[in-house]
Amino acid sequence: VDKRSGAELLQAGRAHAPFTPVYDVTPAGGRKQDDVRRGFGRNRKGPDARHFAGTPRPPRFPAGRDFRIPVEIDYTVEGTVWFTVLLFVWRDLPRIDVTVRLQKTSVWDSENLYLALPFAAPGGELWIDKPGGALRPWRDQLPDTLTDWCVCQEGGASCGSGLGIAVTTPDAPLLQL
């Protein structure tokens, strides 16, 4: 909730809580990887993909600092040995810095690992900072063309009337929509 306006900043009907890891795997089932990937078309997963959401353990609160509060959340999630989300909640700014640390299991199946970011400004519209200009997913694209994911420069934003949420992704420029 935005403390100044009281507005809810999470999408209604969201599938996952903020910062929850989501793992998708498309089993090869004895097929060659090239044959499996060919069936994806322009998507990043097959129609028979299995989806797993992480289960959080109780959060830990390491020693705080003057200007931000650290919160560590360990998750149990398929496809990883361990998965930790480290949040730094700023005391005097409407800002959260997120670091993800994980050890991935090694598999040959086609897989994806995401971090759920179900944020939205009330009445807002999603914009993605693409190389070459800003883009509104599903509106500024040809129908059924790469609408499942996109590569961004700096991240995206949900822009509403008088309120917005920016998500920057300097180390992971791929957004699953």
Side-chain angles (χ1 to χ4, degrees):
V1 174
D2 178 56
K3 300 288 185 187
R4 285 181 262 172
S5 67
E8 174 65 48
L9 301 177
L10 295 176
Q11 291 177 343
R14 64 193 169 276
H16 306 290
F19 313 115
T20 299
V22 179
Y23 176 69
D24 295 332
V25 61
T26 302
R31 299 174 287 175
K32 292 181 182 177
Q33 279 299 322
D34 290 346
D35 294 337
V36 173
R37 290 186 186 275
R38 194 172 296 117
F40 292 6
R42 290 187 171 155
N43 295 316
R44 293 190 47 84
K45 56 188 143 231
D48 57 340
R50 295 181 299 153
H51 312 282
F52 304 92
T55 303
R57 295 190 194 116
R60 293 185 311 280
F61 300 91
R65 294 181 175 80
D66 291 337
F67 57 94
R68 58 187 189 171
I69 303 163
V71 180
E72 284 187 37
I73 306 171
D74 292 325
Y75 286 87
T76 302
V77 62
E78 193 75 24
T80 66
V81 176
W82 55 268
F83 193 104
T84 300
V85 174
L86 179 58
L87 307 172
F88 288 101
V89 181
W90 289 69
R91 290 184 188 272
D92 297 324
L93 294 173
R95 173 179 171 169
I96 300 174
D97 294 339
V98 181
T99 299
V100 174
R101 297 178 181 148
L102 65 111
Q103 181 178 351
K104 185 71 193 62
T105 54
S106 179
V107 299
W108 285 99
D109 293 333
S110 300
E111 58 186 352
N112 300 293
L113 185 58
Y114 307 103
L115 195 63
L117 300 171
F119 301 105
E125 187 170 29
L126 180 62
W127 287 83
I128 305 294
D129 179 29
K130 295 276 294 172
L135 168 85
R136 294 171 296 181
W138 310 290
R139 288 190 58 190
D140 298 334
Q141 296 172 280
L142 295 172
D144 299 323
T145 59
L146 295 175
T147 56
D148 186 26
W149 59 275
C150 66
V151 175
C152 62
Q153 285 189 135
E154 299 294 332
S158 176
C159 303
S161 177
L163 183 64
I165 299 170
V167 175
T168 60
T169 57
D171 296 332
L174 186 62
L175 294 179
Q176 168 75 26
L177 303 173

